[in-house]
């Protein structure tokens, strides 16, 4: 029995690695990852400097930079994840994938990790911003590192929604629209305007499910474990839904 | 030894029974034709054997492992060429075969050897570095077959393996399948009778989701006065429709 479990775990590991490498090559052998990263970085720069008035704050920190991350993720991350499962359905390769000796959760995890790596690479390319504020003054580098960590986790949360809805929709455009809509709900739930309309009790309950609210503490340089667990749990929940929706296709 | 055993497989789509209690077995060293008209339930049956579709009832055993209760173990012994030979067009042939080999858990060295072996067997050595989207339909079909063979499975399930190939490519593909049949159990879904005559010793005939007959090719042909497989096929499928 334990040999079976070990063999299954090993098989799942092989599948996760194989699908991860395959998806990363799909991103980087085509213009997709490069276009995504270029537009994401240009947009982030424009928002940080033009709307966030980075230089006008006269402070050596990255608050104006982190401020726009949730909103940019909301739009850009569904764009890189929408193809993950919808493309498999369209090209008929879902049948090929599902005939391989790999559990559906391993395929889901491999694809998600590849997309998260692309998002992480885009985030890593913003490092010159961090270097710049260190050159301009003496920022709280621990707070900035926390901001990056939580931003990366938040990116994973937005991606997990988009991956799952790509499997549910089976069509790239529908997956993108649904992902932006669902992502918006989980972002807007933390906005003061929404809270004000609902009253304090309900507003707090709703805000506890908001990807935005859990990022705000990190922007202040405060590490809240509940936010860390929220993001990890959120990703886990959506990847579970993703696995269920992929497996449901076996029903025909 | 029965390497593939199908027992009572059934599947309905929206109340329509596509496959009804299909049972048959294929032994090692056999190439069996899964013959039937379009829409007879061939691809649905193959998809259930491959683990892509969940059957409503029944099960398939591949090398002794059930596709229902030991799916991964069963799929490790299965090489499956799906209908239309789906491929990752953005990958090179080598990268595609490497992906499949790694998913099956082959080591780096074993992957290299396996790719060299199937490249030779499938006649694709000269296109290993090419992106799949640049290949002709014939090459794509052979790449897909190489993918089904890369982990050296005990059972091969092939859905229309020569569909879209030119006559020369068909001859080469048939020759490869005949060679594979010496050591493997092979199930070939087709509606082309020349395919059956060229590659298979036994025929499982399905029509409207039901197995109509399961016999040797020569016995099936001998059922008609002219001794032609085509006549037997017409007679059996039309008889089924009349019923």
């Amino acid at each position: 029995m334990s040999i079976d479990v070990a063999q299954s775990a090993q098989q799942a590991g092989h599948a996760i690695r194989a699908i991860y490498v395959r998806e990363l090559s799909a991103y980087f052998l085509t213009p997709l990852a490069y276009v995504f990263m270029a537009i994401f970085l240009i947009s982030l720069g424009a928002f940080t400097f033009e709307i966030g008035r980075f230089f006008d704050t006269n402070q050596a920190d990255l608050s104006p930079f982190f401020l726009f991350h949730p909103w940019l993720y909301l739009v850009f991350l569904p764009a890189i994840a929408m193809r993950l499962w919808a493309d498999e359905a369209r090209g008929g390769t879902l049948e090929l994938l599902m005939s391989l000796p790999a559990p559906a959760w391993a395929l889901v995890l491999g694809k998600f990790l590849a997309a998260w790596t692309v998002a992480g690479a885009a985030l890593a390319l913003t490092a010159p911003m961090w270097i710049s504020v260190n050159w301009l003054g003496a920022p709280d580098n621990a707070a900035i590192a926390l901001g990056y960590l939580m931003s990366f986790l938040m990116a994973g949360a937005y991606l997990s929604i988009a991956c799952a809805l790509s499997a549910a929709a089976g069509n790239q455009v529908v997956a993108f629209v649904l992902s932006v809509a669902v992502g918006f709900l989980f972002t807007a739930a933390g906005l003061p305007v929404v809270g004000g309309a609902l009253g304090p009790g309900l507003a707090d309950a709703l805000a506890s499910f908001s990807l935005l609210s859990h990022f705000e503490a990190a922007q202040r340089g405060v590490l809240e474990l509940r936010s860390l667990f929220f993001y990890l749990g959120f990703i886990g929940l959506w990847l579970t839904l993703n696995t269920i929706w992929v497996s449901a296709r076996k029903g025909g | 030894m029965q390497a593939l055993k199908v027992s009572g497989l059934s599947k309905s789509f929206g109340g329509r029974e596509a496959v009804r209690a299909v049972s048959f077995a294929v032994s090692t060293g056999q190439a069996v034709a899964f013959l039937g008209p379009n829409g007879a339930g061939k691809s649905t049956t193959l998809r259930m054997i491959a683990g892509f579709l969940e059957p409503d009832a029944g099960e398939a055993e591949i090398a002794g492992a059930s596709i229902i209760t030991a799916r991964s173990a069963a799929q490790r012994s299965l090489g499956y060429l799906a209908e239309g030979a789906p491929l990752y067009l953005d990958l090179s042939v080598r990268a595609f075969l490497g992906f499949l080999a790694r998913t099956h858990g082959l080591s780096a060295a074993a992957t290299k050897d396996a790719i060299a072996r199937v490249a030779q067997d499938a006649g694709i050595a000269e296109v290993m570095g090419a992106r799949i989207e640049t290949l002709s339909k014939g090459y794509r079909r052979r790449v897909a077959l190489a993918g089904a063979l890369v982990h050296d499975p005990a059972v091969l399930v092939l859905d229309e393996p020569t569909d879209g190939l030119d006559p020369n490519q068909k001859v080469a593909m048939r020759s490869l399948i005949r060679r594979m049949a010496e050591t493997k159990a092979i199930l070939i879904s087709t509606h082309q009778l020349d395919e059956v005559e060229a590659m298979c010793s036994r025929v499982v005939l399905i029509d409207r989701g039901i197995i109509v007959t399961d016999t040797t090719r020569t016995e099936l042909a001998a059922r008609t006065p002219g001794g032609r497989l085509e006549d037997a096929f017409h007679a059996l499928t039309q008889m089924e429709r009349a019923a």
Side-chain angles (χ1 to χ4, degrees):
Chain A
M1 188 65 171
S2 60
I3 293 171
D4 284 351
V5 173
Q7 202 173 25
S8 298
Q10 200 179 24
Q11 191 72 54
H14 291 312
I16 292 168
R17 220 171 16 250
I19 198 88
Y20 174 78
V21 172
R22 183 270 170 283
E23 289 301 337
L24 264 194
S25 23
Y27 280 121
F28 286 102
L29 288 176
T30 61
L32 185 60
Y34 306 106
V35 169
F36 157 73
M37 287 196 281
I39 297 178
F40 175 76
L41 292 172
I42 291 167
S43 305
L44 192 54
F47 275 89
T48 304
F49 292 107
E50 295 301 320
I51 301 170
R53 314 298 299 170
F54 178 73
F55 289 116
D56 295 349
T57 61
N58 282 323
Q59 287 182 341
D61 68 25
L62 287 181
S63 302
F65 164 75
F66 285 123
L67 186 65
F68 299 102
H69 282 205
W71 301 103
L72 291 174
Y73 288 160
L74 172 65
V75 176
F76 282 103
L77 295 184
I80 60 165
M82 65 184 184
R83 52 162 284 280
L84 282 173
W85 289 101
D87 244 16
E88 302 279 3
R90 186 183 54 83
T93 45
L94 189 62
E95 188 170 352
L96 174 72
L97 267 191
M98 300 299 279
S99 69
L100 295 173
W105 66 263
L107 303 174
V108 166
L109 191 58
K111 280 176 176 279
F112 168 76
L113 289 175
W116 206 9
T117 301
V118 174
L123 195 57
L125 288 173
T126 65
M129 290 289 297
W130 192 351
I131 296 166
S132 300
V133 290
N134 272 279
W135 184 69
L136 291 168
D140 180 352
N141 281 316
I144 293 176
L146 176 66
Y148 267 101
L149 170 71
M150 296 305 271
S151 177
F152 181 58
L153 285 173
M154 183 172 58
Y158 281 105
L159 273 175
S160 66
I161 297 173
C163 289
L165 292 174
S166 173
N171 172 289
Q172 289 200 33
V173 177
V174 177
F176 177 79
V177 172
L178 283 176
S179 301
V180 172
V182 173
F184 179 76
L185 291 178
F186 280 105
T187 309
L191 288 174
V193 64
V194 176
L198 295 171
L202 195 56
D204 286 348
L206 205 59
S208 67
F209 291 101
S210 167
L211 298 170
L212 193 65
S213 304
H214 286 278
F215 188 54
E216 278 167 356
Q219 285 177 273
R220 295 194 305 274
V222 180
L223 171 62
E224 288 188 344
L225 282 180
R226 69 187 178 110
S227 295
L228 199 69
F229 290 127
F230 170 78
Y231 283 130
L232 293 175
F234 191 91
I235 291 169
L237 174 71
W238 280 95
L239 293 187
T240 304
L241 286 173
N242 192 343
T243 305
I244 291 169
W245 284 329
V246 168
S247 301
R249 291 181 176 270
K250 285 173 67 187
Chain B
M1 177 200 164
Q2 289 182 343
L4 173 63
K5 190 176 170 193
V6 175
S7 315
L9 277 185
S10 298
K11 184 73 187 174
S12 296
F13 297 104
R16 188 185 67 83
E17 280 188 302
V19 172
R20 277 184 276 175
V22 163
S23 300
F24 59 87
V26 184
S27 301
T28 301
Q30 273 191 328
V32 173
F34 194 44
L35 186 65
N38 287 330
K42 301 189 297 293
S43 292
T44 301
T45 305
L46 264 48
R47 284 173 175 161
M48 288 190 280
I49 293 170
F52 179 60
L53 277 181
E54 197 91 54
D56 297 336
E59 71 162 3
E61 276 182 28
I62 299 160
S66 164
I67 195 70
I68 310 291
T69 58
R71 182 168 169 263
S72 286
Q75 288 173 323
R76 273 197 294 273
S77 300
L78 175 71
Y80 176 51
L81 177 67
E83 187 180 20
L87 299 161
Y88 290 116
L89 302 181
D90 56 313
L91 292 182
S92 71
V93 174
R94 191 183 306 283
F96 173 70
L97 296 176
F99 162 68
L100 294 176
R102 281 191 297 276
T103 310
H104 280 282
L106 270 62
S107 67
T111 296
K112 200 176 164 192
D113 291 345
I115 290 175
R117 172 177 51 81
V118 295
Q120 191 65 38
D121 285 345
I124 53 171
E126 65 275 25
V127 295
M128 292 304 284
R131 274 166 77 109
I132 295 173
E133 67 185 349
T134 65
L135 300 179
S136 67
K137 195 173 180 181
Y139 266 122
R140 288 185 190 190
R141 183 74 50 166
R142 282 190 274 168
V143 170
L145 180 68
L149 292 169
V150 78
H151 56 296
D152 196 19
V155 177
L156 269 179
V157 171
L158 310 174
D159 200 347
E160 310 280 0
T162 62
D163 193 32
L165 300 185
D166 68 34
N168 290 336
Q169 291 167 339
K170 276 187 182 182
V171 168
M173 179 72 87
R174 287 168 181 173
S175 159
L176 171 63
I177 292 171
R178 273 197 303 269
R179 210 163 61 239
M180 294 290 158
E182 290 168 14
T183 55
K184 299 180 190 302
I186 305 182
L187 181 68
I188 303 165
S189 165
T190 184
H191 56 264
Q192 296 179 45
L193 298 171
D194 56 339
E195 206 94 295
V196 180
E197 283 170 342
M199 292 185 286
C200 306
S201 54
R202 213 178 98 216
V203 177
V204 176
L205 182 58
I206 185 170
D207 189 30
R208 298 206 291 184
I210 299 170
I211 299 293
V212 178
T213 190
D214 179 352
T215 185
T216 63
R217 190 187 75 214
T218 45
E219 197 278 328
L220 181 61
R223 287 184 191 180
T224 58
R228 292 174 63 225
L229 205 53
E230 192 177 348
D231 295 335
F233 178 81
H234 285 310
L236 284 166
T237 53
Q238 279 168 11
M239 183 176 73
E240 190 59 28
R241 286 188 202 297

